Amino acid sequence: MLIVDDEKSVLRILSTLFGLRGFETSTASDGEDAMNILEKEKFDLMLTDVRMRPMDGLGLLKFVREKDPEMPVIMLTAYAAVEDAIEALEHGAFDYITKPFDVGELVKTVERALAFRDGAKHETAPIEREDVRFYLSDIVAESPAMQDICDKVRKIAPTDALVTIVGEPGCSKGMLARALHDHSKRKNEPFHRINCAVIPAPLMEAELLGAERGAIRGAAGEKRGIFEQVRGGTVLMEEIGCLPDELQDKLLTILQEKQVCRIGSDKPLPVTTRILASSHHDVQYNVKRGGFSEDLYMRLNVVTLRVKPLRERPEDIVPLFALFLGRALKDGQDTPEVTAEVQAVLKSYAWPGNSEEVENAAVYAANNIKGNAITPASLPPKIACTPIKAGVLELEPMKARALRAFLVNEGAENALKKIEAENAEDSPVS
């Protein structure tokens, strides 16, 4: 942060204030001094007094807008004047704080300015597929929690370690398993998913082990088991905690001996398949209740990835909605604007169905666009009526709040509207 003021006491106070908050600060005693510093160094933010000599803060603001237009500038003044406020707004000041300033309000303004610089620039923002950052395969991971999971997947994927992925339904467990396969040496071999919760025990045994001709009533020919079909590849056993008791020991034997015998045969076949498992709850609970083999659990529990539900990863919600909205739009259809209110609703809703529910909401919204925007009315009714959490929605524009309030207070609304209209023509960011 660069702090510019011709009063040494103000420089000392602000440097101490923001230094205690972890900022690296530099100071300048006037506009020309600041210009010399800015020629040599780059800053994230500048606080500057308005009334200084020989160069005042407004002159310095004009210089900064040409030198580093992305750097937010907060103006400080003990002599608030409509003319100065209008000029500050015209030349792109982030905001305009009057002295003596309220420390809490100044700190909040600085935080808003840095958030603005870091990309939170739109009160209503177009959401496009190109704006979504992907990790690994097609996984949205804006949250630190999901980025951590992706980093672990990247490290584990090249190994043959048994991995169990635990998370609520809809938490992208299947996508993470696919990423483990796609980033492994097996990536050119088959990947197969089998859900232990939906296949009856007799059929599940045949699915896993395979069967010789005539070994299963009603089966005309021999059946290749999943480990034969996916030889050299990867099998994801979804909802492993639901695997029937009688098959748990057989799976343990397969894992230990690296071979399998078809039903009706005593001839072992080699197993070269990597096994991954997933569950919507920790399988250890089943072990404690006697519903799951402790030996099999210990065998599977080499690496466990615990995926947090979406409600605990709010940073991922809007990017996920963006991804699914982009997929749901028809070819050639313009990407709609998503209002700040809708983004706040999305962040406030609990998403019990996690990413799968987000996808459903995005498809619904794509078919209920109002004009060229996604509004609350575009969302499924049970989501649209969600109360917005405190702090999620910025009710006022992020930029120039104090400037706008001051000009309205001074009866300069017409000048304010004129400037805002001109800014709107130049940029989508106001």
Side-chain angles (χ1 to χ4, degrees):
M1 177 189 296
L2 177 61
I3 304 168
V4 189
D5 201 294
D6 56 5
E7 293 184 47
K8 291 182 179 179
S9 59
V10 173
L11 292 179
R12 186 169 58 251
I13 290 168
L14 291 176
S15 292
T16 303
L17 170 67
F18 287 104
L20 290 172
R21 282 168 170 77
F23 287 84
E24 292 182 19
T25 62
S26 295
T27 61
S29 57
D30 59 51
E32 289 187 348
D33 188 16
M35 281 177 60
N36 291 331
I37 294 173
L38 288 166
E39 290 285 3
K40 301 171 186 175
E41 297 180 57
K42 192 171 179 66
F43 294 86
D44 295 308
L45 180 88
M46 184 172 74
L47 298 178
T48 180
D49 190 24
V50 173
R51 303 284 176 96
M52 299 180 296
R53 292 181 181 177
M55 173 183 277
D56 65 9
L58 293 169
L60 179 59
L61 173 64
K62 295 173 188 175
F63 170 80
V64 168
R65 290 277 65 81
E66 294 179 3
K67 180 75 177 173
D68 186 0
E70 298 298 317
M71 182 176 70
V73 178
I74 298 172
M75 314 296 290
L76 305 172
T77 182
Y79 310 97
V82 170
E83 294 79 9
D84 288 347
I86 289 174
E87 193 170 354
L89 192 61
E90 284 178 333
H91 290 286
F94 182 83
D95 222 334
Y96 187 86
I97 306 296
T98 55
K99 300 178 184 177
F101 45 78
D102 177 270
V103 170
E105 186 58 35
L106 178 59
V107 169
K108 286 180 182 177
T109 302
V110 166
E111 289 173 347
R112 280 193 292 114
L114 292 174
F116 182 87
R117 180 184 173 91
D118 290 342
K121 299 179 181 179
H122 303 283
E123 288 300 302
T124 56
I127 283 191
E128 299 180 16
R129 171 75 183 258
E130 289 76 10
D131 293 332
V132 181
R133 291 188 291 171
F134 296 102
Y135 290 71
L136 300 174
S137 301
D138 209 16
I139 298 171
V140 172
E142 291 296 321
S143 66
M146 204 62 182
Q147 288 178 20
D148 180 60
I149 289 286
C150 289
D151 287 340
K152 289 176 179 175
V153 167
R154 193 177 285 109
K155 292 174 184 175
I156 300 164
T159 74
D160 281 329
L162 289 166
V163 181
T164 300
I165 307 170
V166 180
E168 292 181 3
C171 272
S172 304
K173 298 187 293 294
M175 289 183 68
L176 288 168
R178 183 76 206 208
L180 282 165
H181 173 77
D182 289 345
H183 290 77
S184 75
K185 60 190 177 184
R186 303 170 182 268
K187 61 185 178 181
N188 295 321
E189 302 301 329
F191 174 83
H192 191 86
R193 298 164 67 155
I194 183 167
N195 194 319
C196 302
V198 300
I199 302 176
L203 293 179
M204 175 61 81
E205 184 175 13
E207 285 292 322
L208 291 178
L209 309 181
E212 294 293 339
R213 182 188 299 271
I216 300 176
R217 182 178 298 177
E222 67 177 20
K223 178 176 177 59
R224 295 169 64 218
I226 198 70
F227 299 113
E228 287 185 74
Q229 296 176 44
V230 193
R231 188 171 291 166
T234 306
V235 168
L236 169 62
M237 300 188 68
E238 297 177 297
E239 298 305 334
I240 190 69
C242 298
L243 186 69
D245 294 348
E246 58 268 33
L247 290 180
Q248 292 177 23
D249 289 339
K250 291 184 179 181
L251 178 60
L252 178 60
T253 301
I254 292 169
L255 292 173
Q256 289 173 335
E257 298 180 2
K258 302 290 185 183
Q259 58 185 26
V260 63
C261 290
R262 288 180 180 175
I263 300 170
S265 171
D266 57 4
K267 180 183 177 182
L269 299 169
V271 172
T272 59
T273 308
R274 183 182 188 179
I275 298 175
L276 307 176
S278 70
S279 176
H280 71 275
H281 65 274
D282 197 326
V283 181
Q284 190 173 15
Y285 295 132
N286 289 21
V287 174
K288 290 178 179 178
R289 294 197 302 268
F292 198 84
S293 164
E294 185 171 8
D295 289 340
L296 178 56
Y297 170 74
M298 295 303 294
R299 190 78 185 186
L300 291 171
N301 196 36
V302 177
V303 178
T304 300
L305 299 177
R306 301 182 188 279
V307 186
K308 289 186 176 182
L310 197 53
R311 61 182 173 275
E312 296 180 22
R313 301 183 276 119
E315 304 94 332
D316 293 334
I317 294 171
V318 173
L320 270 172
F321 185 83
L323 169 64
F324 295 132
L325 181 65
R327 288 177 178 171
L329 294 173
K330 298 172 183 175
D331 290 342
Q333 186 175 0
D334 291 337
T335 302
E337 210 170 42
V338 177
T339 65
E341 185 179 3
V342 165
Q343 295 187 43
V345 168
L346 294 175
K347 291 178 183 178
S348 300
Y349 182 65
W351 300 107
N354 293 293
S355 58
E356 290 180 5
E357 190 174 9
V358 176
E359 182 172 13
N360 292 338
V363 171
Y364 184 98
N367 289 288
N368 289 276
I369 296 172
K370 308 299 178 184
N372 193 35
I374 302 294
T375 68
S378 306
L379 299 174
K382 71 173 183 177
I383 298 174
C385 66
T386 303
I388 294 175
K389 292 179 181 177
V392 173
L393 175 64
E394 294 279 4
L395 294 175
E396 297 177 81
M398 177 172 267
K399 189 178 178 185
R401 290 183 183 175
L403 261 174
R404 287 181 168 95
F406 172 74
L407 290 172
V408 169
N409 231 17
E410 297 296 312
E413 289 177 87
N414 290 336
L416 175 60
K417 288 177 182 176
K418 182 181 177 184
I419 294 170
E420 289 180 332
E422 291 171 352
N423 287 343
E425 290 176 6
D426 294 337
S427 168
V429 179
S430 62

